Amino acid sequence: MLIDALGQWPAWTWLAIVAAAIFAAVAHGAIGFGFPLLSTPLVALVTDVRTAVLTTLLPNLVLNVISIVRGPNWAATLRRYWPVAAYVLLGTIAGSWVLSFADLRVLKLMLAALIVAHLLLTRLRGINWSRLQQFPRLSPLVFGSLGGFFAGTVNVTVPPLLIYFSSLELAPVVMTQALNLSFLVGRSAQAVALVSSGQLGPAMLMLSLPLSLISVLALVVGFGLQRRIPAQTFARLVRVVLWAMAVTLVGQVAFGYGS
C-alpha cells in the first residue's frame, strides 16, 4: 500500500513536499506558528490544494500539540480560550464539507488571498484591534468560525485568529498556545471529516507518518533558531517566501483558465 502511494508522484514531487514541510516546521519553531500557512501553499504549488491539505494534516496535528505544551501554564490557556477553539471546530466542519466538492482553482485563489491578508495584517498597525473587545461574545464567534472555515478549505487559520488574539494583547507565549489550541481543534475536526468522507485513507496516513517525524525534527531546529537569530530577520524571510507563493498560485490559476 505504501509503495503504491509513493508511486503516484515522481521523486521530485516528494522531494518538494519534504522540503516544504522542513521549511514550514523550522519557521513554526522559530516564530511559534506558521506550519500550515507555509506548507499548504508550497505543497499546492507542485500538487493541488486538496492534496496539500491531506498530506500535511498529520504533521500539523503533531506540531500543534508540541507547541501547546512547550510553554508554561498551558492548561490555564486551554481553560480560558476553549470557546474560540469551539467556534473554530464548527467552522472547520463546514469548511471540510466545502473542500470535498469545491473547484481546486477557486481554492488556490482563496489560499492566495489569505496569504496576502496575513501579510497585510502587519501593515495595519494603525487599526485599534482592541475595539473588538467591545463585543466579547460576537468577536470570538465571528473570527473563530472564519478561521475554522478557512482551515477546513485551504488549511490556513492564521489571519482571522491573529486579528482576534491580537486584540487581547496577549503575551507571546500565551498567544502561541491559544493559536495552536485553535489549530489543533480545527485539524482534529478536519481529520474526522476527511476520514468520514473517504478522502483521507490509510495510504495517505502512512505517507504522513514519516513526514510528521521529519517535521518534528525540523521544529526542534526552529526552536534553536528562535534563540539564536532575531525574530525580525526570520519573519522577513518568511514574508518574502509568502509573497512569492501568493503570486505563483495566482499565476497557476490564470494559466489554467487561459489554456
Side-chain angles (χ1 to χ4, degrees):
M1 179 182 298
L2 179 59
I3 301 298
D4 293 338
L6 287 171
Q8 63 182 304
W9 294 308
W12 71 266
T13 302
W14 286 114
L15 290 174
I17 292 174
V18 171
I22 291 174
F23 177 73
V26 170
H28 191 105
I31 63 178
F33 62 90
F35 184 82
L37 185 66
L38 289 166
S39 64
T40 303
L42 280 173
V43 175
L45 290 176
V46 296
T47 57
D48 57 71
V49 175
R50 186 176 291 125
T51 300
V53 171
L54 293 173
T55 54
T56 61
L57 180 57
L58 185 59
N60 263 305
L61 289 169
V62 175
L63 265 60
N64 290 156
V65 172
I66 295 174
S67 298
I68 291 172
V69 302
R70 182 170 178 262
N73 302 320
W74 59 269
T77 301
L78 266 60
R79 286 194 299 269
R80 183 169 183 179
Y81 297 108
W82 71 263
V84 181
Y87 295 134
V88 170
L89 172 62
L90 296 177
T92 303
I93 293 173
S96 298
W97 174 71
V98 171
L99 177 66
S100 64
F101 62 83
D103 187 320
L104 296 179
R105 294 170 297 182
V106 174
L107 291 180
K108 276 196 174 184
L109 288 176
M110 186 186 300
L111 180 56
L114 282 174
I115 293 173
V116 173
H118 171 75
L119 290 166
L120 292 179
L121 280 179
T122 56
R123 298 184 178 275
L124 300 179
R125 296 177 180 175
I127 296 179
N128 184 11
W129 296 117
S130 64
R131 295 177 181 175
L132 293 177
Q133 296 313 301
Q134 297 175 8
F135 310 95
R137 294 186 178 181
L138 182 61
S139 293
L141 169 61
V142 171
F143 288 92
S145 299
L146 277 176
F149 180 80
F150 293 139
T153 50
V154 293
N155 215 30
V156 175
T157 323
V158 170
L161 292 180
L162 197 58
I163 290 175
Y164 174 70
F165 285 122
S166 295
S167 73
L168 301 178
E169 299 180 351
L170 302 177
V173 172
V174 177
M175 178 177 286
T176 297
Q177 291 173 331
L179 283 169
N180 280 278
L181 168 63
S182 299
F183 300 158
L184 177 62
V185 171
R187 299 292 174 266
S188 300
Q190 189 181 41
V192 172
L194 292 173
V195 170
S196 300
S197 65
Q199 297 184 73
L200 184 61
M204 188 62 72
L205 287 174
M206 291 180 66
L207 291 174
S208 296
L209 288 175
L211 195 63
S212 299
L213 177 59
I214 292 171
S215 299
V216 170
L217 295 176
L219 181 71
V220 175
V221 174
F223 289 154
L225 289 177
Q226 189 181 55
R227 296 187 294 268
R228 295 184 180 183
I229 66 173
Q232 295 83 354
T233 301
F234 201 88
R236 192 177 301 115
L237 173 62
V238 171
R239 286 179 60 83
V240 171
V241 173
L242 286 173
W243 275 117
M245 286 190 296
V247 171
T248 303
L249 287 169
V250 173
Q252 285 182 337
V253 173
F255 178 80
Y257 277 121
S259 59

